Amino acid sequence: MTAEPQLGVVAAGHTESARAGAEVLRAGGNAVDGAIGAMLASMAAEPLLTALGAGGYMLVVAPDRDPVLLDFFVEAPGRGAPAGERAELTPVTVSFGDAVQVFNIGAASVGTYGMPAGIHEAAARFGRLPLADLVAPAASIARSGVLVTSEQAYLFEILHGIVTATPECAALFAPAGEPLRAGERVRQPELADAMERLAEEGPAAFYTGELGAAIVDWVSERGGMLTAEDLAAYRVIERTPVRVRYRGRQVLTNPPPSAGGILIARALGWLNEEDGAPAVVDLVSVMERIQAERTPEFLAGLDDPAFVQRFLGAGGRRGGGRLGSTTHIAVADRDGWACSVTSSNGACSGVVVPGTGVHLNNMLGEQDLNPLGFHRHPPGRRLPSMMAPTVVLRDGVAELVLGSAGSNRIRSAILQTIVRVIDGGLRAGEAVDAPRLHYEDGVVYAEPGIDTSALEARGRPIARFRERNLFFGGVQAVERDGEGRFWGGGDRRRGGAAVTVTA
């Protein structure tokens, strides 16, 4: 019996997100259409991870054209706003059980969002299907609601202080005073209305129209820095992806001013100097060296157009983390298109603007995005995210498409997934499921299944997790072999799923 021809594969952070992207491919859309359909669905299905008030990056690889990185990440606001009137950030302590973190939320944490502009730009430039067709399934999901999974229930529970921070946020995610539990339903009818307006009117409603005005009024009344000038000035930026060679392949990833991609490229360049698959001690050594690169000079240089060549062209060897409420989508299709898109709402600000369907980000309160101190970025500066949508090319064709959630752990999660596929010969799903480690501030964090004996022999402090944990990121990865067959892996640490689409 002849196998059905495969149209492509979608990996996303939720079954509903992956299913929505797969239906788009089945309806004749390309990988970018599929990614947009999954992105929109993820706002309904993964409501604390992404939203219309979020930002992100999309890497597009297409036949017979240069790869493009669309930057629609969050900007520092404050054009025309007196700094002295800014409210204080609101700290919230979050416990993973094996790690404790502090997040900062509230109106003062809200940056200028890019999601509506990014979705519209990607659909207009690369999509085959009308945006309204991509919005319709997601809007239906948002109105009818999605059953909370066990992974989401855990997220709601540990982010209790955020989802109950304002009456508007609590009405969605803790309607009875406690966060929604597994099996309960989360509905967002105003989000559905907003997505339909995006399809009908374009992004103007969110930036210069009535929705944008309502958002600015709501945030400014509560001491935030977002202004009408910030929204009117926002633009999607096209960037040239960073390239690095690894095992005879080209790896494309997110360029500066984002920080994550160039650090991953640096790490792969170092590993490529050695033959054979890197051992655990090699991975930790590279992670340690990469963390050491994140100096004040590195962070200051990210906004310099010449920084990529200076940083990656140096050659040779040179001498706690955040949760990261982020989600990733990876799509590849049979025509050779590949799309890798990461979007994030930070840890969520808790600020939901009534009547708009917009849950705003807390990027100004994320320590990893503000390592030199809060409110240091000038208005209009893109924040230096760790997000790194990535594509591995073999002979010019997308072989592996991936990315991750997890803030500081993004770079270590992507690095390990690439190594396990390229060096270890694992399929994408196997590489995503494999146990991970992460190095930060002198400590090696390890999931069960990681052999730490060689690290212990070298005196490395080990923080062992008792089970797989979303602390270690949320990788979504899809793979295509030389015969046009597809595989995918959705990270079960965050409820991910992958769907291979047949004709």
Side-chain angles (χ1 to χ4, degrees), residues 143-226:
R143 286 198 178 94
S144 61
V146 177
L147 293 179
V148 175
T149 64
S150 57
E151 294 87 0
Q152 287 177 316
Y154 173 66
L155 191 63
F156 287 177
E157 178 185 350
I158 65 175
L159 297 182
H160 182 287
I162 298 177
V163 300
T164 60
T166 65
E168 299 77 27
C169 196
L172 291 174
F173 309 122
E178 291 295 324
L180 291 169
R181 296 173 180 164
E184 296 183 313
R185 191 172 292 272
V186 56
R187 294 182 174 87
Q188 300 181 80
E190 289 185 348
L191 171 62
D193 295 340
M195 289 192 290
E196 290 171 344
R197 288 194 66 171
L198 176 60
E200 293 166 4
E201 304 174 25
F206 296 85
Y207 292 94
T208 56
E210 62 176 319
L211 292 180
I215 291 167
V216 167
D217 288 346
W218 188 265
V219 172
S220 61
E221 288 168 3
R222 287 155 181 78
M225 297 295 288
L226 185 66

Side-chain angles (χ1 to χ4, degrees), residues 266 270 273 289 309-318:
R266 184 77 163 197
W270 278 327
E273 295 174 358
R289 292 163 66 191
Q309 181 61 36
R310 189 166 68 246
F311 186 75
L312 294 181
R317 298 183 177 90
R318 290 172 44 180

Side-chain angles (χ1 to χ4, degrees), residues 261-472:
I262 196 169
L263 292 173
I264 291 169
R266 184 77 163 197
L268 288 170
W270 278 327
L271 291 176
N272 197 46
E273 295 174 358
E274 304 294 339
D275 295 329
V280 167
V281 291
D282 301 319
L283 289 171
V284 170
S285 177
V286 164
M287 291 177 191
E288 181 177 28
R289 292 163 66 191
I290 283 299
Q291 187 182 51
E293 295 282 355
R294 295 191 71 208
T295 63
E297 292 76 19
F298 169 86
L299 296 166
L302 286 171
D303 207 46
D304 181 351
F307 181 73
V308 172
Q309 181 61 36
R310 189 166 68 246
F311 186 75
L312 294 181
R317 298 183 177 90
R318 290 172 44 180
R322 313 293 295 170
L323 167 67
S325 288
T326 303
T327 192
H328 184 81
I329 294 159
V331 188
D333 69 33
R334 66 176 175 181
D335 295 326
W337 287 72
C339 186
S340 183
V341 56
T342 314
S343 59
S344 178
N345 214 24
C348 311
S349 66
V351 180
V352 179
V353 183
T356 69
V358 176
H359 185 182
L360 292 161
N361 66 85
N362 78 319
M363 298 301 185
L364 302 188
E366 288 285 293
Q367 184 176 3
D368 191 49
L369 275 62
N370 302 271
L372 302 182
F374 296 116
H375 302 298
R376 297 285 187 90
H377 298 289
R381 174 74 58 85
R382 295 285 160 106
L383 300 182
S385 170
M386 279 291 127
M387 297 195 295
T390 300
V391 175
V392 179
L393 302 179
R394 186 171 191 172
D395 299 326
V397 178
E399 176 183 20
L400 180 65
V401 184
L402 74 163
S404 182
S407 196
N408 273 349
R409 273 90 59 217
I410 287 174
R411 59 183 186 265
S412 58
I414 291 174
L415 181 67
Q416 289 169 88
T417 305
I418 291 174
V419 165
R420 283 166 177 155
V421 171
I422 304 304
D423 292 304
L426 300 183
R427 296 263 75 110
E430 296 170 330
V432 169
D433 286 342
R436 295 189 195 128
L437 55 80
H438 176 73
Y439 172 88
E440 191 162 344
D441 296 333
V443 177
V444 178
Y445 299 86
E447 288 185 315
I450 293 287
D451 183 356
T452 60
S453 57
L455 297 171
E456 294 170 52
R458 288 163 170 78
R460 293 278 194 183
I462 311 294
R464 293 180 179 83
F465 276 61
R466 291 164 288 186
E467 56 187 17
R468 304 289 174 87
N469 194 288
L470 55 75
F471 175 87
F472 291 89

Side-chain angles (χ1 to χ4, degrees), residues 26-42:
R26 194 170 286 114
N30 62 21
V32 177
D33 291 311
I36 294 171
M39 286 172 67
L40 290 161
S42 70

Side-chain angles (χ1 to χ4, degrees), residues 109-158:
S109 72
V110 174
T112 309
Y113 50 83
M115 188 64 76
I119 289 173
H120 189 269
E121 178 86 0
R125 288 188 56 177
F126 303 113
R128 291 177 186 161
L129 303 181
L131 183 54
D133 291 356
L134 308 181
V135 160
S140 177
I141 294 170
R143 286 198 178 94
S144 61
V146 177
L147 293 179
V148 175
T149 64
S150 57
E151 294 87 0
Q152 287 177 316
Y154 173 66
L155 191 63
F156 287 177
E157 178 185 350
I158 65 175

